[in-house]
PDB file of all heavy atoms in Angstrom:
ATOM      1  N   ILE X  25     -35.190-133.599 -25.546  1.00  0.00           N
ATOM      2  CA  ILE X  25     -36.034-133.560 -26.736  1.00  0.00           C
ATOM      3  C   ILE X  25     -36.919-132.328 -26.694  1.00  0.00           C
ATOM      4  O   ILE X  25     -37.177-131.765 -25.634  1.00  0.00           O
ATOM      5  CB  ILE X  25     -36.891-134.840 -26.897  1.00  0.00           C
ATOM      6  CG1 ILE X  25     -37.965-134.929 -25.801  1.00  0.00           C
ATOM      7  CG2 ILE X  25     -36.023-136.082 -26.868  1.00  0.00           C
ATOM      8  CD1 ILE X  25     -38.954-136.067 -26.014  1.00  0.00           C
ATOM      9  N   GLY X  27     -40.611-130.933 -27.286  1.00  0.00           N
ATOM     10  CA  GLY X  27     -42.014-131.316 -27.463  1.00  0.00           C
ATOM     11  C   GLY X  27     -42.274-132.778 -27.176  1.00  0.00           C
ATOM     12  O   GLY X  27     -41.723-133.361 -26.236  1.00  0.00           O
ATOM     13  N   THR X  28     -43.094-133.395 -28.034  1.00  0.00           N
ATOM     14  CA  THR X  28     -43.569-134.762 -27.820  1.00  0.00           C
ATOM     15  C   THR X  28     -43.444-135.553 -29.116  1.00  0.00           C
ATOM     16  O   THR X  28     -43.620-135.004 -30.204  1.00  0.00           O
ATOM     17  CB  THR X  28     -45.052-134.747 -27.376  1.00  0.00           C
ATOM     18  OG1 THR X  28     -45.165-133.966 -26.181  1.00  0.00           O
ATOM     19  CG2 THR X  28     -45.570-136.145 -27.094  1.00  0.00           C
ATOM     20  N   SER X  29     -43.150-136.838 -28.981  1.00  0.00           N
ATOM     21  CA  SER X  29     -43.130-137.731 -30.142  1.00  0.00           C
ATOM     22  C   SER X  29     -43.783-139.055 -29.763  1.00  0.00           C
ATOM     23  O   SER X  29     -43.860-139.402 -28.577  1.00  0.00           O
ATOM     24  CB  SER X  29     -41.697-137.976 -30.623  1.00  0.00           C
ATOM     25  OG  SER X  29     -40.950-138.639 -29.613  1.00  0.00           O
ATOM     26  N   THR X  30     -44.263-139.795 -30.758  1.00  0.00           N
ATOM     27  CA  THR X  30     -44.923-141.072 -30.501  1.00  0.00           C
ATOM     28  C   THR X  30     -44.388-142.139 -31.454  1.00  0.00           C
ATOM     29  O   THR X  30     -43.853-141.833 -32.523  1.00  0.00           O
ATOM     30  CB  THR X  30     -46.453-140.972 -30.667  1.00  0.00           C
ATOM     31  OG1 THR X  30     -46.745-140.583 -32.016  1.00  0.00           O
ATOM     32  CG2 THR X  30     -47.047-139.963 -29.700  1.00  0.00           C
ATOM     33  N   ALA X  42     -45.733-145.797 -27.565  1.00  0.00           N
ATOM     34  CA  ALA X  42     -44.789-145.036 -26.748  1.00  0.00           C
ATOM     35  C   ALA X  42     -44.953-143.542 -26.993  1.00  0.00           C
ATOM     36  O   ALA X  42     -45.069-143.097 -28.135  1.00  0.00           O
ATOM     37  CB  ALA X  42     -43.366-145.461 -27.055  1.00  0.00           C
ATOM     38  N   VAL X  43     -44.945-142.788 -25.920  1.00  0.00           N
ATOM     39  CA  VAL X  43     -44.964-141.326 -25.971  1.00  0.00           C
ATOM     40  C   VAL X  43     -43.726-140.821 -25.240  1.00  0.00           C
ATOM     41  O   VAL X  43     -43.512-141.158 -24.074  1.00  0.00           O
ATOM     42  CB  VAL X  43     -46.235-140.753 -25.303  1.00  0.00           C
ATOM     43  CG1 VAL X  43     -46.171-139.231 -25.253  1.00  0.00           C
ATOM     44  CG2 VAL X  43     -47.478-141.215 -26.031  1.00  0.00           C
ATOM     45  N   ALA X  44     -42.910-140.049 -25.930  1.00  0.00           N
ATOM     46  CA  ALA X  44     -41.742-139.406 -25.319  1.00  0.00           C
ATOM     47  C   ALA X  44     -42.011-137.910 -25.251  1.00  0.00           C
ATOM     48  O   ALA X  44     -42.504-137.322 -26.216  1.00  0.00           O
ATOM     49  CB  ALA X  44     -40.478-139.686 -26.127  1.00  0.00           C
ATOM     50  N   ALA X  45     -41.708-137.291 -24.116  1.00  0.00           N
ATOM     51  CA  ALA X  45     -42.000-135.862 -23.956  1.00  0.00           C
ATOM     52  C   ALA X  45     -40.931-135.181 -23.118  1.00  0.00           C
ATOM     53  O   ALA X  45     -40.341-135.799 -22.220  1.00  0.00           O
ATOM     54  CB  ALA X  45     -43.372-135.673 -23.313  1.00  0.00           C
ATOM     55  N   PHE X  46     -40.714-133.908 -23.413  1.00  0.00           N
ATOM     56  CA  PHE X  46     -39.822-133.088 -22.586  1.00  0.00           C
ATOM     57  C   PHE X  46     -40.476-132.846 -21.234  1.00  0.00           C
ATOM     58  O   PHE X  46     -41.666-132.519 -21.149  1.00  0.00           O
ATOM     59  CB  PHE X  46     -39.552-131.747 -23.272  1.00  0.00           C
ATOM     60  CG  PHE X  46     -38.808-130.762 -22.406  1.00  0.00           C
ATOM     61  CD1 PHE X  46     -37.451-130.896 -22.218  1.00  0.00           C
ATOM     62  CD2 PHE X  46     -39.480-129.729 -21.781  1.00  0.00           C
ATOM     63  CE1 PHE X  46     -36.748-129.998 -21.413  1.00  0.00           C
ATOM     64  CE2 PHE X  46     -38.800-128.822 -20.968  1.00  0.00           C
ATOM     65  CZ  PHE X  46     -37.426-128.965 -20.786  1.00  0.00           C
ATOM     66  N   VAL X  56     -47.550-135.511 -17.824  1.00  0.00           N
ATOM     67  CA  VAL X  56     -47.543-136.283 -19.070  1.00  0.00           C
ATOM     68  C   VAL X  56     -48.084-137.683 -18.817  1.00  0.00           C
ATOM     69  O   VAL X  56     -48.930-138.194 -19.568  1.00  0.00           O
ATOM     70  CB  VAL X  56     -46.111-136.350 -19.660  1.00  0.00           C
ATOM     71  CG1 VAL X  56     -46.067-137.321 -20.845  1.00  0.00           C
ATOM     72  CG2 VAL X  56     -45.637-134.978 -20.079  1.00  0.00           C
ATOM     73  N   VAL X 110     -36.537-135.958 -19.709  1.00  0.00           N
ATOM     74  CA  VAL X 110     -37.383-136.712 -20.636  1.00  0.00           C
ATOM     75  C   VAL X 110     -38.204-137.728 -19.860  1.00  0.00           C
ATOM     76  O   VAL X 110     -37.712-138.362 -18.926  1.00  0.00           O
ATOM     77  CB  VAL X 110     -36.517-137.469 -21.670  1.00  0.00           C
ATOM     78  CG1 VAL X 110     -37.374-138.399 -22.516  1.00  0.00           C
ATOM     79  CG2 VAL X 110     -35.777-136.501 -22.568  1.00  0.00           C
ATOM     80  N   ILE X 111     -39.463-137.882 -20.243  1.00  0.00           N
ATOM     81  CA  ILE X 111     -40.285-139.000 -19.783  1.00  0.00           C
ATOM     82  C   ILE X 111     -40.745-139.791 -21.002  1.00  0.00           C
ATOM     83  O   ILE X 111     -41.048-139.199 -22.050  1.00  0.00           O
ATOM     84  CB  ILE X 111     -41.505-138.551 -18.953  1.00  0.00           C
ATOM     85  CG1 ILE X 111     -42.321-139.789 -18.510  1.00  0.00           C
ATOM     86  CG2 ILE X 111     -42.381-137.540 -19.690  1.00  0.00           C
ATOM     87  CD1 ILE X 111     -43.386-139.505 -17.469  1.00  0.00           C
ATOM     88  N   VAL X 112     -40.741-141.115 -20.869  1.00  0.00           N
ATOM     89  CA  VAL X 112     -41.294-141.992 -21.895  1.00  0.00           C
ATOM     90  C   VAL X 112     -42.352-142.860 -21.232  1.00  0.00           C
ATOM     91  O   VAL X 112     -42.087-143.512 -20.210  1.00  0.00           O
ATOM     92  CB  VAL X 112     -40.222-142.878 -22.547  1.00  0.00           C
ATOM     93  CG1 VAL X 112     -40.868-143.819 -23.575  1.00  0.00           C
ATOM     94  CG2 VAL X 112     -39.146-142.031 -23.214  1.00  0.00           C
ATOM     95  N   VAL X 113     -43.553-142.849 -21.790  1.00  0.00           N
ATOM     96  CA  VAL X 113     -44.647-143.692 -21.319  1.00  0.00           C
ATOM     97  C   VAL X 113     -44.988-144.668 -22.432  1.00  0.00           C
ATOM     98  O   VAL X 113     -45.208-144.250 -23.576  1.00  0.00           O
ATOM     99  CB  VAL X 113     -45.898-142.867 -20.948  1.00  0.00           C
ATOM    100  CG1 VAL X 113     -46.962-143.773 -20.312  1.00  0.00           C
ATOM    101  CG2 VAL X 113     -45.546-141.725 -20.005  1.00  0.00           C
ATOM    102  N   ALA X 136     -39.885-147.717 -26.777  1.00  0.00           N
ATOM    103  CA  ALA X 136     -39.283-146.512 -26.189  1.00  0.00           C
ATOM    104  C   ALA X 136     -38.213-145.932 -27.110  1.00  0.00           C
ATOM    105  O   ALA X 136     -38.161-144.716 -27.338  1.00  0.00           O
ATOM    106  CB  ALA X 136     -38.683-146.848 -24.824  1.00  0.00           C
ATOM    107  N   ALA X 139     -39.788-144.075 -30.072  1.00  0.00           N
ATOM    108  CA  ALA X 139     -40.311-142.739 -29.760  1.00  0.00           C
ATOM    109  C   ALA X 139     -39.186-141.734 -29.602  1.00  0.00           C
ATOM    110  O   ALA X 139     -39.290-140.581 -30.053  1.00  0.00           O
ATOM    111  CB  ALA X 139     -41.148-142.796 -28.485  1.00  0.00           C
ATOM    112  N   LEU X 140     -38.081-142.151 -28.991  1.00  0.00           N
ATOM    113  CA  LEU X 140     -36.948-141.233 -28.809  1.00  0.00           C
ATOM    114  C   LEU X 140     -36.264-140.931 -30.142  1.00  0.00           C
ATOM    115  O   LEU X 140     -35.828-139.802 -30.387  1.00  0.00           O
ATOM    116  CB  LEU X 140     -35.950-141.829 -27.812  1.00  0.00           C
ATOM    117  CG  LEU X 140     -36.462-141.924 -26.367  1.00  0.00           C
ATOM    118  CD1 LEU X 140     -35.512-142.747 -25.510  1.00  0.00           C
ATOM    119  CD2 LEU X 140     -36.676-140.541 -25.765  1.00  0.00           C
ATOM    120  N   ALA X 143     -38.099-138.256 -32.007  1.00  0.00           N
ATOM    121  CA  ALA X 143     -38.148-136.936 -31.371  1.00  0.00           C
ATOM    122  C   ALA X 143     -37.094-136.002 -31.960  1.00  0.00           C
ATOM    123  O   ALA X 143     -36.075-136.444 -32.499  1.00  0.00           O
ATOM    124  CB  ALA X 143     -37.931-137.078 -29.870  1.00  0.00           C
TER     125      ALA X 143
END
Side-chain angles (χ1 to χ4, degrees):
I25 68 172
T28 302
S29 63
T30 61
V43 175
F46 172 77
V56 172
V110 172
I111 180 169
V112 178
V113 186
L140 292 170

